[in-house]
Amino acid sequence: MLPLPEQVTIVEVGPRDGLQFEPVTLSTADKVAFIEQLADCGLAHIEAGSFVAPGKIPQLADSDEVFRQLTPRNAVTFTALVPNEKGMQRALNAGATSIAVFTAASDTFCRKNIGCSIDESFARFKPVMEIAKDHGIRVRGYISCIFGCPYEGRVQVNKVI
């Protein structure tokens, strides 16, 4: 058995992943209050919004304004999900200091979720990473569907690797 890590980082994604599927769109003020209450609870890493095309996820279309209104805190990282260079520019303009990029272990999920293949998603990361590096912005990457895909079912371990 591999040794366990000494530390685990928990990233709260409710303000982004949770709100994007809600049938009702919260006001910007309610989103900011929700995110700041999560920070008040002691959560140190909060994915606070997404800079995808506003028409794709209307519930998060105001992420620019949400990031501008968040109160900076020394012990809290507010992260923005960024799918491409255009989203990175929006995140940068909104004052984001931490971003997340993502792909999937399932090509079908990747195509349906972000409109490109897995390989194309990696190509989209390059300019995003260059901008982040130039501006001293932290980057976290993650892979969706490592255990299974709603379209393909079980995902083979070699695809995840």
Side-chain angles (χ1 to χ4, degrees), residues 12-23:
E12 172 57 54
V13 297
R16 196 268 314 154
D17 194 45
L19 295 181
Q20 76 180 15
F21 295 112
E22 289 299 315

Side-chain angles (χ1 to χ4, degrees), residues 21-102:
F21 295 112
E22 289 299 315
V24 175
T25 301
L26 294 180
S27 69
T28 301
D30 285 343
K31 289 176 194 172
V32 170
F34 172 48
I35 294 164
E36 292 194 343
Q37 287 171 6
L38 291 170
D40 290 343
C41 288
L43 293 167
H45 299 275
I46 302 169
E47 198 165 281
S50 176
F51 289 91
V52 300
K56 294 275 186 190
I57 304 177
Q59 298 89 331
L60 302 177
D62 62 345
S63 288
D64 309 74
E65 194 55 36
V66 168
F67 271 84
R68 285 186 192 98
Q69 291 184 27
L70 288 170
T71 304
R73 298 163 185 243
N74 288 334
V76 179
T77 301
F78 297 117
T79 302
L81 185 72
V82 173
N84 54 35
E85 187 174 2
K86 188 173 183 179
M88 180 64 196
Q89 288 298 336
R90 285 181 56 215
L92 190 63
N93 291 339
T97 59
S98 174
I99 65 160
V101 295
F102 66 99

